[in-house]
Every structure is written in structure tokens, then in C-alpha cells.
Amino acid sequence: MSTTENTSTDLPRWSVADVHESLESRSFNEALERIGAGATRLVALFDEHDIRATEPRPVTEADGESADAVISAYNALGDDLQELGATVYATVTTDSRDELAQSLASRLDVQEAKIGPLLARLADWVHSLGVGALAAVSEQVAEHRGPLERLDERAGHQMSESEEGLYAELSTTGSGAWGRLMQDVTSQLTTDVEFPDGRTEHLPMPAVRGLATSTDPDVRRAAYDAELRAWPTVTTPVAAAMNAIKGEANVVNRRRHWDAPLDASLFANSVSRATFDAMQAAVTAALPDFRRWMRVKAGLHGHDGGLPWWDHVAPLPHVSASISWTEGIDWVRSAFSTYSRQLAGIVDRALDEQWIDAEPRDGKTGGAFCMSFTGDRSLVLLNWAGSVDSAQTTAHELGHAYHNTTLAGRTPLQKRVPMALAETASIFCETLAVEAGLSRLEGPERLALLDVDLAGTNQVVVDIRSRFLFETEVFERRAKGTLGISELNELMLDCQQEAYGDGVDPDHRHPYMWVLKPHYYGSHFYNWPYTYGLLFGLGLYAQFQHDPERFRVGYDDLLSRAGMDTAEELGSAFGLDVTDEAFWTASLDVCRDRIRQYEQLAAEL
């Protein structure tokens, strides 16, 4: 692998200019006006057809016509809103100081607040009349049967129509505004890093966090110390955001008759409690294996005992871990080609059509994500750090982009994909990249790739466990009162210790992880679905290895149905019983095998 460092000019930036030249262009403003008018018309259409809770009665042909009208109109507006929202978000996430973009995002929130309660009204209506009966007289209901059956179930966990409408409006100045504040404050944070050679650089936080993969241990420690100095400067507004969002969620969950926040999260992800419990049991049994791996990694970095936080994603010493953008893209493309030319082609489409924004910079959101844009196009945000981990993340996010191509033929109501199932293609593609690398590497280079892969897996299994424990406790404590900054810090450390055990250095953990992770700033648990996605993806990859041709025949259809079927139904389509702990154990056995390979190579080297 090359040690070539990328400059900012090497890295791509996305562009939406072929759709809307700018946020001030005539086409954009006309589209914005259409969204506003369309939302008003959609509300009027629901009123005209009286789509709301009603007394149960026999279904008529007129009901079928009503269903066809409102579902078609809802989907048409949803497509327009997705495209315009992504256009605005493309600027908000790469330049949080752009005041026009922030204002436009707020305007779109207001329109979404008008539309959101309509789904609650549709849920009440189909619950009153019956999805099956409506499907007999409505082509649209028949085509959307899976999503509407989920709405039917949701009807029992809704407030009254007026309360749902009020909550949707208030959330734009409540949880939605607090979440945006958190994102703005953290994306604009910069700090001084005191490098070991005596120089000091003032860097945006994504660049500081990117130094965690530096080959120099003193640089990694310096970046960690810089983080611990910087995050406390924004804890006051971020803690206020945490308390506001979780407090609001507790109130709304209670009024929607959920016994616990987790129950609402499971329903939102189309995952049953039996499936969740089976997965968690398998994860608990695997924690000692990951802790053992962390201690081996710590030993390779010269530490006795557990791994200090700044070395959790550190590259192996004495092994080149740098990789140029071109090399990373070539690796991903080559790995994808082992599955199909179509999958490999997504890499070149993403580059040629400017889907990717890879350069870390001030005002840009940290981490990585992929969002649907228009048609079968996506927008992929990265913060490229010139590491193997960055390349693996690229494979992951382009997996999401491939998933979006399979969803392009579905309607907005059919492609409301829950997070746990949204990770299916991304994990599969990431696994393709890892397996492609392992198939050709030996000795130190093989160990280096295993190191990167297991560091990522460790994050998704062990760190996600700490986040789940943290979020569970935050919900419980917030029901009694607000949590102070010191309490949040201490809770974060306690949950890290419980999950990581003796795999982490107890004197060098990270008390501010709650500040920097946007995943906490939503109404539902946003963490455990990553673990689900990883382990389900590994299970799918095993099916691919067993019978590649049969798998290819059904895979794209499975992805396209991720917003239409439950987790159990999607698993069953490939002969997988996700309610059985043995399935999750088998996926974790893949991780255990890589840990054993790591230990063996570490001992030899």
C-alpha cells in the first residue's frame, strides 16, 4: 500500500447542480413552492376523502377510490420532497455555516410536519376498515399491503389525530431544532493539536478524529488529548439537546402506549422482541472473545492490559497502513466485481456523476453516510483519512448506494426502510471488500487487514453495546429529571467499562462519546440496529458463499423489499431464522475465526 497522502484537491466533492444549479436558482425555488402547495393539497385530499379513524364498517368501491387517490398523491409528493430535501442537506452537511441552507432546511421541516400526521390518519383509517378488505377494492392498497399492515399495527400506538398533528408541528421547534443545534455545534468545533514535533495545528474536529488512524502513536495520543480538551467547550448546549430530545421521546412514547422506548424502537425497525433477544444473547456470549482480541492488539502496541482509547482504531506498528484515494477506490471496485459487474459499476457511477464528498473540512458533518437523492442516484458523505479503514467505510457507504438503486422502482411508502434492514447491503459490500483483501494477503499485510476489520467489528459489537446500555439508562433517568454533564460523562464511562471490560484501559476511556455521536439525538434507539445489520449481513454473505448463483437471483429483490417486509420475513426468504440465537452465534463465529487468525499471526510476527 502506498504512503501517499491525499491533498484536498485529490478528493471528490459531490454536486447536485445538474438538478438545481444552486439554492437560489429559479428551478429550486419553483420546486420549493410546489412542495408547499403540494402539502396543502394533500392535506385537503385527506380531508375530502375523510381519511382518519372511523367506525368499522363494510368496505365500498368508493373506499377503494379514496385509497387509490390518497396513496398515489402521498407517493408523488414524497418523491419531490426527497429530492429537494437531499439538495438542501447536501449543503447543510458540508457547510453548517450556510445560513440560507439552514433556513431552507427549517422550511422543509415545516412541510414535513404537515405531511407526517397524514400517515397517522392513514394508519387509523386502514385499521378501522381492514387492509385485506381495502386491498380487494384498491390497486394501491394491494401494491402497498406490507407497509399498510405495519401502519395497521401502528394504529394502536398513536395519539389522537389532533395530538399527532400538534406534536408534528412542535417537533420542528423541539427535538428537530435541538438535533440540528447539536449537529451545528459539533460540526463547527475546531481545536489545537499539539504534535510531537513541537508544531501546533488548528484543525476541524473531523480531521482531529481522523488522526486516530495515524501511524505515529504520539500523534494519536495528541489527537485524543486535543479531543478531551475540545469537547467540554460544547457540552452545555449538547447536554441540553440530549435532555430535550430524550425527555420529549419519553413523553410521546408514554402517550403512544409504549411500555418502554425499546419497544418503540423495535417496532420502528420491523424487528420482533424474540429476534432482538436472540441477537443480544449471542452478543453477550461473544464479548469475552472481543476483549481478548483487544488485549492482543494492546500488546502489539506495547501496552500491558487493556487498550487505551487512542489506539482502538490504530494501524499496526511497523506495517504500512496508508492508502491513497485512488488505491482505495480500486480496491473497492475490484472487490465489488467479485460479486457482479453491476455492483462494481456503482463505483464508477458514483465518481462520474459526482455522488461522493470525501474531503474533511471545517463545517462538515463528521463520520459517513449515504442518502437517496433522485431516481436511483445517491449522495455519499465521507471523511477520507487515507487509511484502510477509510476504504472499508467507502465500500460500506457505496453498498448503501447500491441498495438505493434497487429501491428506485419502489414508492416512498414502500421504501421507508428501517435502519436495521438498511444496513443489509452496506455490510454485505464491506464484507466483500474484506474477503477480497484476505484472499490475497499473507503475513503482516494480512494481519493489518484483519486488524482494521476487527477494529470496525469491535465498534459495531462492543462499542454499540456500550451505547445501547448508555441510551437505555439515559431514557430511564430522564423520566425522573434532567441529566447534568458530569452525570452523562460518568454514565458514559460506566457503560464503556461494562461493555469493554478488561479489553479497555480503565484510565484512558472516552467520557465525551455522548457529545460527538449524532446517533443519540433522535427519539428512538439508533445504535443496536448497526449490530443487527452487521450480523445479518455476515449471515447473508455465508448464504452467498454457499450458493452464489441462487443468491444473486434473489438478492436485489430482497433489498428492494426491505421497506415492505419484516426482518423475520426477509430472513426467511433466504432460509434464515433470525429468531434463533444459533443464527446470530454463527455470524459471530465468523468474527471469532478472524480473531483466532489474528492471534495466530500476531504470535508468529
Side-chain angles (χ1 to χ4, degrees), residues 552-576:
R552 288 188 181 97
V553 169
Y555 182 58
D556 282 7
D557 183 62
L558 176 141
L559 293 179
S560 78
R561 298 191 63 82
M564 302 168 66
D565 296 338
T566 66
E568 291 74 23
E569 289 168 341
L570 289 174
S572 178
F574 278 83
L576 306 174

Side-chain angles (χ1 to χ4, degrees), residues 11-16 86 89-90 93-94 325 329 332 336 346-347 349-351 353-361 364-374 376-384 390-405 426:
L11 299 173
R13 292 193 182 193
W14 58 32
S15 174
V16 298
Y89 206 56
T93 55
T94 53
W325 170 255
I329 285 294
V332 173
F336 284 9
I346 206 74
V347 179
R349 274 198 71 193
L351 292 171
E353 298 177 16
Q354 295 179 275
W355 296 5
I356 301 175
D357 196 296
E359 175 201 2
R361 55 190 183 274
K364 181 177 177 179
T365 298
F369 67 77
C370 173
M371 62 178 168
S372 178
F373 175 33
T374 184
D376 68 348
R377 290 167 59 182
S378 296
L379 294 174
V380 176
L381 183 139
L382 306 169
N383 278 279
W384 180 263
S390 293
Q392 201 166 321
T393 298
T394 302
H396 180 102
E397 299 305 334
L398 287 174
H400 282 300
Y402 182 76
H403 193 170
N404 286 339
T405 67
S426 56

Side-chain angles (χ1 to χ4, degrees), residues 331-332 334-336 338 430-441 449 541:
W331 175 29
V332 173
S334 175
F336 284 9
T338 64
E430 192 175 338
T431 304
L432 285 173
V434 172
E435 290 296 327
L438 292 176
S439 69
R440 60 181 176 80
L441 297 177
L449 181 54
Y541 186 79

Side-chain angles (χ1 to χ4, degrees), residues 198-439:
R199 64 192 166 91
T200 298
E201 286 191 36
H202 195 72
L203 297 172
M205 190 53 75
V208 176
R209 288 187 53 75
L211 294 174
T213 57
S214 169
T215 57
D216 186 335
D218 293 330
V219 170
R220 297 194 298 270
R221 176 63 190 269
Y224 169 80
D225 290 340
E227 275 200 65
L228 295 194
R229 290 193 301 270
W231 290 119
T233 67
V234 297
T235 49
T236 297
V238 177
M242 175 77 80
N243 279 293
I245 292 167
K246 296 310 185 191
E248 178 184 294
N250 275 336
V251 171
V252 173
N253 283 333
R254 184 177 68 251
R255 295 185 69 87
R256 285 175 171 166
H257 311 296
W258 292 111
D259 293 333
L262 178 59
D263 294 329
S265 177
L266 291 171
F267 180 81
N269 280 279
S270 300
V271 172
S272 71
R273 188 58 184 256
T275 295
F276 176 81
D277 289 343
M279 180 185 75
Q280 289 294 84
V283 166
T284 299
L287 291 177
D289 299 292
F290 285 96
R291 293 166 183 164
R292 189 177 73 251
W293 169 77
M294 283 183 271
R295 293 194 300 273
V296 174
K297 181 180 174 77
L300 291 174
H301 286 275
H303 306 296
D304 292 326
L307 197 62
W309 202 269
W310 63 82
D311 278 343
H312 273 230
V313 293
L316 285 181
H318 315 302
V319 178
S320 174
S322 297
I323 183 171
S324 72
W325 170 255
T326 300
E327 288 172 327
I329 285 294
D330 288 345
W331 175 29
V332 173
R333 183 190 294 107
S334 175
F336 284 9
S337 69
T338 64
Y339 178 77
S340 72
R341 284 185 297 178
Q342 184 180 2
L343 180 58
I346 206 74
V347 179
D348 294 313
R349 274 198 71 193
L351 292 171
D352 295 341
E353 298 177 16
Q354 295 179 275
W355 296 5
I356 301 175
D357 196 296
E359 175 201 2
R361 55 190 183 274
D362 183 27
K364 181 177 177 179
T365 298
F369 67 77
C370 173
M371 62 178 168
S372 178
F373 175 33
T374 184
D376 68 348
R377 290 167 59 182
S378 296
L379 294 174
V380 176
L381 183 139
L382 306 169
N383 278 279
W384 180 263
S387 64
V388 174
D389 180 60
S390 293
Q392 201 166 321
T393 298
T394 302
H396 180 102
E397 299 305 334
L398 287 174
H400 282 300
Y402 182 76
H403 193 170
N404 286 339
T405 67
T406 70
L407 290 167
R410 301 295 187 184
T411 68
L413 199 56
Q414 291 170 332
K415 57 185 180 186
R416 297 173 66 244
V417 180
M419 183 187 162
L421 305 181
E423 295 300 313
T424 301
S426 56
I427 295 297
F428 182 82
C429 287
E430 192 175 338
T431 304
L432 285 173
V434 172
E435 290 296 327
L438 292 176
S439 69

